Amino acid sequence: MQLEEFLNNLLTQSGVSGYENNVASAVVEGFRGLYDEFRLDPLGNLILLKKGEGRGDEPRPRVMLAAHMDEIGFVITKVEDEGGLRFSNIGGIDPRVLPGQEVIVHGKRDLMGVIGSKPPHIQDHDEAKKAMKREDMFIDVGLTRAELEGLVSVGDTATIYREPIILKDEFLAAKALDDRAGVGVLFTCLEELSRMRHLADVYCVSTVQEEVGIRGAIVGTYSIVPDVGIAVDVCHADMPGVPEYDTVPMDKGPALGFGPHVHPRIYERLVKTAEDAGIPYQVDPSPYPGGTDAWGIQMAREGIPTALVSIPLRYMHTSVEMVCLRDIKRSGRLLARFISGLDKDFLEGLKCF
C-alpha cells in the first residue's frame, strides 16, 4: 500500500478522542506486513511491534514512536423540540469555522448533518458584529425530535465530514491530519525499516485522547518503558498573516523540536542523521512542551529520553488542515535511519544527561 492510499483511508475514518476504534482498525490493516505483533492496551492505544535483531536472549533496546490518531469533534448535549441537536466540543475547536460544516452524527446509526445557525439576514445589529458562539449553533440532520427518538441521544458523538483533497505538488488538505499525518510518518518509517537492519525493537504507537490531555502517550509509555521515545506530531506551517517566528515552512523537511522536553543527544543524533542522509530538516524551538505526546513520554515512570519530530501543517484544527506529503516521507526516512543507526553505546550515554 502506498502512503497516499493509506492516508486517504485513514483520513475518512471517524475517531474523536475516546472513540478511536475505527481508526485503529484502519491502521492495523494499512500496516499489515510491516509489524510482527500488535495489541490494544486498556485505554485504546494501538501498539505495533517490529522486532529488532538482538542476539540470543540478550534484551533488545526499545524505541517508541508515538503519533496520536484521535481527532477533535463534538458531543450531543440536547435534542431541541424542532429536531436541532445542540452540541459541545471534544478537543479545541474554533467556533468561527463551524457554521456550514458537514458532520456525521454517530447515534444508533450514522446520520449526515450540517451545522446551522441564524443567517446574517435576520441577526440583530449587535449579533452581526460578533462571531457566532457555539452555544447558538446546532446540528440539523433533517429529522424532527420524534423521528430522532431512539436514533440520537445526549452523549452521542459527531465528527466533521470531509473528503481528503489532493492539491498541486503533493499538497494534501483534509480533516484530522493533526495527527494522522504523524501516523503516516510511522507507516513510512516501518516501510523503510523493512529494507534495513536494526538492533532495537520498534514500538509504533497510535495513541488515543491526545486532544483532551495527552492521556494515551502517558499510559503507552508506562507500559512499553522505552529507551528512547519520539513523538511525531504537527506544528504550525507558514501562511499569510502569521509571523515567521511562529511557523516553519512547508516542503522543507521535518521540524525537529528543541527545548526542555527534548534530550539534547537525541536531537543531535537526529540532526547528524538527517545531514548524513541528505534529508532536509528544520529546527522548531519548543519552550512550552505541554502540547504534544512528547510531554507524556518524557514524564512517564522515572523519565524517558525524548524527542519531537513535527510535520509543518497549515490551518490547524479546521476541516482543511494542509500538509506536504514530501515532508511526511522525509520524516519517515529520517526516523528509519535514526533507528537503524542506534547502538548500545549511544543508548547507554542517554542515561548521563
Side-chain angles (χ1 to χ4, degrees), residues 61-65 200-204 226-230 338-339 342:
R62 298 183 176 193
V63 175
M64 173 179 170
L65 306 178
D201 285 346
V202 182
Y203 293 81
C204 285
D227 297 285
V228 172
I230 301 178
F338 171 83
I339 292 168
L342 289 179

Side-chain angles (χ1 to χ4, degrees), residues 219-233:
V219 172
T221 310
Y222 190 93
S223 168
I224 294 168
V225 198
D227 297 285
V228 172
I230 301 178
V232 183
D233 211 315

Side-chain angles (χ1 to χ4, degrees), residues 293-304:
D293 280 345
W295 182 89
I297 296 170
Q298 182 195 33
M299 297 299 291
R301 289 189 175 261
E302 298 90 354
I304 302 296

Side-chain angles (χ1 to χ4, degrees), residues 24-304:
S25 296
V27 173
V28 169
E29 185 59 34
F31 276 70
R32 193 168 299 281
L34 299 176
Y35 56 84
D36 296 304
E37 301 174 6
F38 80 92
R39 63 183 173 90
L40 287 170
D41 71 15
L43 198 65
N45 291 311
L46 173 63
I47 302 172
L48 307 177
L49 168 61
K50 187 180 189 305
K51 295 180 180 178
E53 299 180 357
R55 298 175 182 174
D57 296 331
E58 188 176 351
R60 294 184 293 269
R62 298 183 176 193
V63 175
M64 173 179 170
L65 306 178
H68 71 88
M69 60 179 168
D70 58 316
E71 65 183 294
I72 56 176
F74 315 102
V75 59
I76 304 303
T77 58
K78 183 181 180 182
V79 181
E80 297 283 9
D81 291 339
E82 300 87 350
L85 303 173
R86 299 293 181 181
F87 60 92
S88 186
N89 54 289
I90 298 175
I93 300 177
D94 185 346
R96 293 173 297 179
V97 305
L98 294 181
Q101 293 282 1
E102 297 175 274
V103 298
I104 305 173
V105 178
H106 306 289
K108 297 295 183 183
R109 58 181 173 87
D110 285 352
L111 297 171
M112 292 297 301
V114 295
I115 295 180
S117 59
K118 186 189 294 187
H121 313 71
I122 53 177
Q123 294 176 7
D124 62 35
H125 184 70
D126 289 336
E127 286 177 322
K129 292 182 177 180
K130 301 175 183 177
M132 187 70 64
K133 296 179 180 178
R134 174 183 50 76
E135 292 81 3
D136 296 326
M137 303 178 203
F138 51 88
I139 296 173
D140 190 342
V141 298
L143 298 176
T144 65
R145 181 183 181 121
E147 292 169 327
L148 285 168
E149 192 74 31
L151 288 178
V152 178
S153 303
V154 170
D156 287 340
T157 62
T159 51
I160 291 173
Y161 172 77
R162 173 76 68 172
E163 292 290 330
I165 307 169
I166 299 295
L167 304 172
K168 298 294 185 182
D169 203 23
E170 291 198 61
F171 277 52
L172 170 68
K175 59 112 177 178
L177 279 165
D178 175 11
D179 180 36
R180 294 178 197 166
V183 180
V185 171
L186 271 54
F187 174 84
T188 302
C189 176
L190 286 196
E191 272 204 322
E192 292 281 332
L193 282 176
S194 69
R195 298 183 287 273
M196 298 178 176
R197 302 186 68 177
H198 55 97
L199 172 67
D201 285 346
V202 182
Y203 293 81
C204 285
V205 186
S206 297
T207 61
V208 297
Q209 299 192 41
E210 191 270 357
E211 296 290 2
V212 292
I214 314 178
R215 298 169 183 173
I218 296 171
V219 172
T221 310
Y222 190 93
S223 168
I224 294 168
V225 198
D227 297 285
V228 172
I230 301 178
V232 183
D233 211 315
V234 294
C235 61
H236 295 289
D238 56 342
M239 66 189 84
V242 180
E244 287 186 11
Y245 56 76
D246 282 335
T247 64
V248 292
M250 297 178 71
D251 196 20
K252 292 191 176 180
L256 305 182
F258 189 78
H261 56 312
V262 174
H263 196 294
R265 293 187 181 178
I266 302 178
Y267 171 81
E268 290 166 4
R269 177 63 73 95
L270 284 168
V271 168
K272 185 178 186 306
T273 301
E275 291 177 346
D276 289 348
I279 299 171
Y281 71 93
Q282 307 172 77
V283 179
D284 182 24
S286 306
Y288 307 107
T292 71
D293 280 345
W295 182 89
I297 296 170
Q298 182 195 33
M299 297 299 291
R301 289 189 175 261
E302 298 90 354
I304 302 296

